[in-house]
Amino acid sequence: MSGVRASEKSGSATQFAEEFDGAPAKPSGKPLPPMAQVSGDLQREVERFLYRQAEILDDRRWDDYVALFTESGHYWMPVTETQTTGDGVPSIFYEDVDLMRLRAKRVMHPRAWSQKPGHRTSHVVSNVIVESVDAAGNLVVRSKFYMSEFRRDAVRHFAGKYRHELKKTAGGYRIELQRVDLVNGDGTWDYVIQTWV
Amino acid sequence: MSTVTIGSKADINAMVEPDRVHKRCYTDQAIFDAEIERIFERTWIYVGHESQVKNVGDYYTTLIGRQPVIMVRAKDGKVNVVYNRCPHRGAMLCADHSGNTGTTFKCPYHAWRFNLDGTLLKIPVIEGYQGTRFDTSDPQFHMKKVARVDSYRGFVFASLVPDVPDLVTFLGGAKIAFDDMCNRAPDGEVEVVPNCFRVIQKSNWKIFLENQLDAVHPSITHEAAGRAAFEVEKDIEKRTGKKAHLQYHMLSAFTMPFHKFDAMDNVGHANGHLVFRGYMDLRRADPEMVEYLKIMHAKHGEKRTEEILSVDIHHVIGYPCLSVQPPLQQLRAIRPIGPDRTLSEIWHFRLKGAPEGMYRRALAYYQLVNSPSTTINADDLENWWRCQQGLFSSGGDWVSFHRNAGQDRVQANGTIVSVTGMSELPMRHMMGAWKDYMVKGAAQ
């Protein structure tokens, strides 16, 4: 007995799918994010600031890290890239400087059990793009980071992007907002993050 | 030579004593497999909240025992729960945690199409099935539905087996978790905030549940976070002359002295459920509470409002998979992955009709205690991991639940009340339910 062969009525896979789903949507044509034309000096100044910040984190100098922020500053790690604010919506971190001080005190407490042993990190910051400069010299800066974390025989990898809103002050730049988007922010977490990335 | 079969009735009975349990309950792969079959795949398990799937085609995927399932909103408005498996070659139909699948499920492998109740809609090149045993009306060619689905006040549960009591009967004393949370909403219902934190615990699922109502651990495990919060709280009050936001108290309260925990109590209900009474001070003078009380009074009157707020519950365990904190609008569902591996799905809710300030309280707890940056659970996870490692060792055979053992008070209604909030009644009570499930499963 011969098998039954597909007839022309069976059509194509695309026809079969589009009978239920319709045609796929066209791409939105979103513009590229903005990029300011800045001098080499300014570019280097911003990079030095970011390198310094990474060094402070890797050296576990928590008080010095909090001191990089303005008194109204925030450290924000959203769950997804689509979030536009950390105020009133769930985030992984959304800390003002009081909450940052709390985190610093907890990590330094002698009975913070999950700091026995503690963790060590190494940050690399790169792809630094100044997004905008205002008349007062305040900056918005985008960059990428890679952080390797070691704790009790295990190494974890974190990658993502920073977006810094930097305020120009007499004593140098201070952070008004540091946004940190991890590539796996909405993924499943193996353990937690105890300090800032 | 012992002839006891692992997981047999004799084996289970020997592992659970009134005041101690054998470490194998936490470490043995065969016991873990039996737990999944006899508990998680044989009772009502929390799937999700109806508001996670508001629109037709909205879906959410999770696990019931080892079974990947999909909760989906169908065209008729019903919430269905189906196995996440194409009946053709087995491919998962929804591979993301959540999304919208349109008006059908579609298999990416050979394009089989299913309605949102799992029934087969259409397959391509149907000619090839002529003269075969394939039949579109045969259930084996449809996505399988779970045996039972029901919801209580918007919280959806499912059972893989049909012979379970109705959901409300099963929930029994744990029902109050949902009543308390919903009744606190001026509109009488809650809505999920569409974000799920997923955290892996490298420890047995029972260690998580046992920790939740263990009132001796907070001031020890969480001393560092609690003290840090207390210092910042005092500093803010000194600096501003005003009370710091409740979020600081939420953390500093972890280090309350023992006598405050002593004054609370734990109540054990049928099926292993537990209710922890006392603990949270809602601080009625805070601006968000003043505004909230005004709305509640207008809607329900002062008498009813007081009735609602006097339900003084901090934490409810819906055995075997739920930890709910109604006044904080938090819910954690656990999905056991292995003897030393547990996934927790962490959600929080909005009280419908309540002012924004009340939501901000819940959000603060969600972020500070339950998010992946938590300063609280960081130390829990550490201790649970250490317990799991120690239990794998041969340094001892038993886990001790002796604190206030023999002092639990059985009430006329069948519930069991602790003599102190710090009693290990919750652990003893849950292991009692565990034994019941495991022995019943062994007999079948």
Side-chain angles (χ1 to χ4, degrees), chain B residues 116-171:
Chain B
L116 299 178
D117 62 359
T119 53
L120 180 64
L121 175 62
K122 200 172 178 182
I123 62 175
V125 284
I126 190 78
E127 302 91 328
Y129 291 95
Q130 281 176 26
T132 73
R133 290 200 291 160
F134 174 87
D135 176 356
T136 53
S137 66
D138 184 338
Q140 70 166 300
F141 301 112
H142 297 222
M143 290 167 73
K144 189 177 175 180
K145 283 172 145 179
V146 300
R148 300 275 295 271
V149 182
D150 201 355
S151 71
Y152 184 71
R153 300 196 76 162
F155 295 83
V156 180
F157 290 74
S159 167
L160 300 183
V161 294
D163 55 333
V164 284
D166 65 88
L167 178 61
V168 169
T169 305
F170 164 77
L171 287 173

Side-chain angles (χ1 to χ4, degrees), chain B residues 38-343:
Chain B
R38 301 176 197 177
I39 306 176
F40 285 84
E41 296 184 0
R42 200 163 280 275
T43 192
W44 287 104
I45 295 296
Y46 179 70
V47 179
H49 193 265
E50 284 173 4
S51 58
Q52 282 168 241
V53 289
K54 278 187 184 160
N55 303 310
V56 172
D58 283 355
Y59 72 83
Y60 171 68
T61 61
T62 187
L63 290 169
I64 299 178
R66 281 165 299 203
Q67 311 304 320
V69 296
I70 307 167
M71 173 173 81
V72 67
R73 178 76 65 172
K75 280 192 242 181
D76 60 2
K78 261 180 67 181
V79 174
N80 296 323
V81 179
V82 291
Y83 285 76
N84 193 355
R85 178 191 191 278
C86 180
H88 178 211
R89 299 273 281 276
M92 283 175 91
L93 291 157
C94 295
D96 210 345
H97 293 304
S98 61
N100 186 288
T101 183
T103 55
T104 62
F105 290 115
K106 43 195 160 284
C107 183
Y109 197 4
H110 300 94
W112 286 31
R113 290 274 171 166
F114 304 89
N115 293 306
L116 299 178
D117 62 359
T119 53
L120 180 64
L121 175 62
K122 200 172 178 182
I123 62 175
V125 284
I126 190 78
E127 302 91 328
Y129 291 95
Q130 281 176 26
T132 73
R133 290 200 291 160
F134 174 87
D135 176 356
T136 53
S137 66
D138 184 338
Q140 70 166 300
F141 301 112
H142 297 222
M143 290 167 73
K144 189 177 175 180
K145 283 172 145 179
V146 300
R148 300 275 295 271
V149 182
D150 201 355
S151 71
Y152 184 71
R153 300 196 76 162
F155 295 83
V156 180
F157 290 74
S159 167
L160 300 183
V161 294
D163 55 333
V164 284
D166 65 88
L167 178 61
V168 169
T169 305
F170 164 77
L171 287 173
K175 197 166 74 68
I176 199 162
F178 312 110
D179 286 330
D180 188 25
M181 203 194 297
C182 294
N183 290 347
R184 283 167 187 275
D187 295 351
E189 53 185 43
V190 297
E191 184 172 33
V192 79
V193 179
N195 182 72
C196 180
F197 287 134
R198 291 182 174 78
V199 179
I200 296 286
Q201 304 164 3
K202 291 173 188 164
S203 47
N204 189 271
W205 61 278
K206 297 187 289 301
I207 291 177
F208 168 81
L209 291 180
E210 286 157 5
N211 181 79
Q212 299 316 303
L213 306 192
D214 178 337
V216 173
H217 95 281
S219 64
I220 300 164
T221 297
H222 306 299
E223 184 191 353
R227 291 303 303 178
F230 180 79
E231 284 173 28
V232 175
E233 187 179 18
K234 290 297 145 212
D235 178 54
I236 292 171
E237 287 172 5
K238 214 168 98 188
R239 201 171 70 221
T240 64
K242 287 191 289 200
K243 258 195 169 337
H245 187 272
L246 186 68
Q247 66 187 1
Y248 294 96
H249 176 69
M250 287 170 178
L251 302 192
S252 61
F254 277 90
T255 50
M256 292 191 306
F258 292 127
H259 71 89
K260 293 215 172 176
F261 289 106
D262 179 59
M264 301 157 196
D265 60 28
N266 272 299
V267 186
H269 293 264
N271 300 326
H273 306 318
L274 283 148
V275 175
F276 186 39
R277 299 192 296 211
Y279 188 29
M280 277 312 289
D281 174 11
L282 293 170
R283 294 212 320 212
R284 289 182 176 220
D286 285 6
E288 62 269 25
M289 267 306 275
V290 172
E291 197 189 339
Y292 167 72
L293 285 170
K294 217 182 279 172
I295 295 170
M296 285 294 278
H297 289 163
K299 201 124 192 184
H300 300 290
E302 285 193 31
K303 189 164 164 275
R304 177 66 188 139
T305 301
E306 283 313 307
E307 264 172 33
I308 290 167
L309 297 184
S310 66
V311 178
D312 187 23
I313 288 173
H314 177 58
H315 211 134
V316 177
I317 296 293
Y319 195 80
C321 74
L322 271 185
S323 144
V324 186
Q325 291 170 280
L328 297 162
Q329 299 144 239
Q330 314 283 314
L331 179 149
R332 283 180 281 180
I334 51 154
R335 317 294 182 193
I337 308 293
D340 58 351
R341 218 168 157 76
T342 307
L343 168 68

Side-chain angles (χ1 to χ4, degrees), chain A residues 1 3-13 16-21 71 76-80 83 86-117 151-152 154 156 185-195, chain B residues 97 101 103-104 106 110-113 121-128 130-131 193-202 220-229 231-232 235-236 239 247-248 251 341 343 348 350 356 359-360 363 366-368 371-379 381-383 385-386:
Chain A
M1 186 179 130
V4 180
R5 307 188 79 88
S7 75
E8 280 184 26
K9 273 204 308 197
S10 290
S12 69
F16 188 84
E18 292 190 352
E19 177 190 338
F20 300 100
D21 301 336
E71 270 307 301
W76 176 32
M77 184 186 287
V79 180
T80 66
Q83 278 176 251
D87 186 28
V89 291
S91 297
I92 296 164
F93 288 78
Y94 186 63
E95 295 184 347
D96 60 16
V97 289
D98 280 324
L99 285 172
M100 292 181 77
R101 287 180 188 122
L102 190 163
R103 180 174 299 281
K105 281 176 189 287
R106 183 250 157 202
V107 162
M108 293 187 286
H109 192 281
R111 285 179 293 282
W113 307 113
S114 51
Q115 284 292 310
K116 295 179 178 305
R151 179 172 177 265
R152 196 164 45 208
R156 296 195 296 177
D186 55 356
T188 299
W189 287 77
D190 186 357
Y191 205 67
V192 299
I193 344 179
Q194 298 189 52
T195 54
Chain B
H97 293 304
T101 183
T103 55
T104 62
K106 43 195 160 284
H110 300 94
W112 286 31
R113 290 274 171 166
L121 175 62
K122 200 172 178 182
I123 62 175
V125 284
I126 190 78
E127 302 91 328
Q130 281 176 26
V193 179
N195 182 72
C196 180
F197 287 134
R198 291 182 174 78
V199 179
I200 296 286
Q201 304 164 3
K202 291 173 188 164
I220 300 164
T221 297
H222 306 299
E223 184 191 353
R227 291 303 303 178
E231 284 173 28
V232 175
D235 178 54
I236 292 171
R239 201 171 70 221
Q247 66 187 1
Y248 294 96
L251 302 192
R341 218 168 157 76
L343 168 68
H348 73 306
R350 266 180 197 275
E356 177 68 12
Y359 169 62
R360 294 298 178 104
L363 176 62
Y366 187 64
Q367 281 180 184
L368 297 176
S371 87
S373 75
T374 172
T375 59
I376 295 293
N377 286 332
D379 293 322
L381 288 160
E382 171 72 12
N383 282 340
W385 176 82
R386 292 193 195 193

